[in-house]
Amino acid sequence: MEAERLIEAGRRALAGSRGALDVMAEAWQAQALARAIGSRLALYGPVELRSEARALREIGAGCSALDHPSVLSGGARAAQLSGIADVRPALAGLALLLGEAGIALVGVACDTGEDGLYWQCIEAMDAADESLDRVHGMLRRLADRERERDGPYGGIRGPAPSAAGP
């Protein structure tokens, strides 16, 4: 499945989450998707994004949170990633998903009285925040590339010709 569709499915699932464990599972799904997108961009993405993409794919590596039964029972949505049709909208959507996951995790952390769940939320929030920083870095690099390509006059190269003619 294409990245933007997976991201949208993740946003819908996160919005429909009921209870702390559902929110945690969806936050972990979002992190797994971020890592999968990072992996894909590290291999096939624009050259200027590859270092940030490699860093994105490493965030949360070895994190026990991704072994959560709720994630494992349904499988990681990220495993369905087939491609990234357009990098900029995919990264923008991923940024929204990670931001929403972070906000949902704050709510769970504030509402829980269970120490273990609280620290899992903190770990997941840190991963989402670090991933979001990497995604924002890639979006900045894409914007810089466009500015360099378009030059100082935007999409127009050089000054406009005179109305009186040559």
Side-chain angles (χ1 to χ4, degrees), residues 46-112:
V47 173
E48 62 269 22
L49 301 185
R50 290 185 181 173
S51 65
E52 290 277 1
R54 280 190 296 276
L56 179 62
R57 79 174 174 205
E58 298 303 320
I59 297 169
C63 174
S64 63
L66 293 176
D67 296 331
H68 189 275
S70 298
V71 174
L72 294 177
S73 65
R77 203 174 286 119
Q80 299 174 28
L81 181 64
S82 61
I84 302 170
D86 195 355
V87 175
R88 180 184 301 284
L91 289 174
L94 183 58
L96 283 174
L97 174 60
L98 291 167
E100 291 166 356
I103 290 168
L105 288 165
V106 168
V108 170
C110 289
D111 287 345
T112 189

Side-chain angles (χ1 to χ4, degrees), residues 4-166:
E4 288 183 72
R5 290 182 59 206
L6 281 173
I7 291 164
E8 190 55 40
R11 291 184 68 207
R12 281 192 308 272
L14 180 64
S17 294
R18 301 292 176 244
L21 294 180
D22 283 349
V23 169
M24 291 296 293
E26 287 306 323
W28 294 323
Q29 289 277 8
Q31 188 61 42
L33 183 56
R35 291 183 63 209
I37 289 172
S39 291
R40 182 66 58 111
L41 290 175
L43 292 172
Y44 307 111
V47 173
E48 62 269 22
L49 301 185
R50 290 185 181 173
S51 65
E52 290 277 1
R54 280 190 296 276
L56 179 62
R57 79 174 174 205
E58 298 303 320
I59 297 169
C63 174
S64 63
L66 293 176
D67 296 331
H68 189 275
S70 298
V71 174
L72 294 177
S73 65
R77 203 174 286 119
Q80 299 174 28
L81 181 64
S82 61
I84 302 170
D86 195 355
V87 175
R88 180 184 301 284
L91 289 174
L94 183 58
L96 283 174
L97 174 60
L98 291 167
E100 291 166 356
I103 290 168
L105 288 165
V106 168
V108 170
C110 289
D111 287 345
T112 189
E114 184 184 325
D115 236 18
L117 182 58
Y118 173 80
W119 288 110
Q120 284 182 349
C121 283
I122 297 301
E123 183 180 354
M125 286 174 4
D126 286 347
D129 188 49
E130 188 177 348
S131 294
L132 187 56
D133 287 346
R134 295 296 179 176
V135 170
H136 283 152
M138 287 188 275
L139 286 168
R140 277 190 300 276
R141 287 182 187 269
L142 286 174
D144 290 346
R145 179 178 73 171
E146 282 185 11
R147 276 192 296 279
E148 288 172 9
R149 184 187 68 217
D150 290 343
Y153 301 103
I156 302 170
R157 300 229 185 258
S162 166

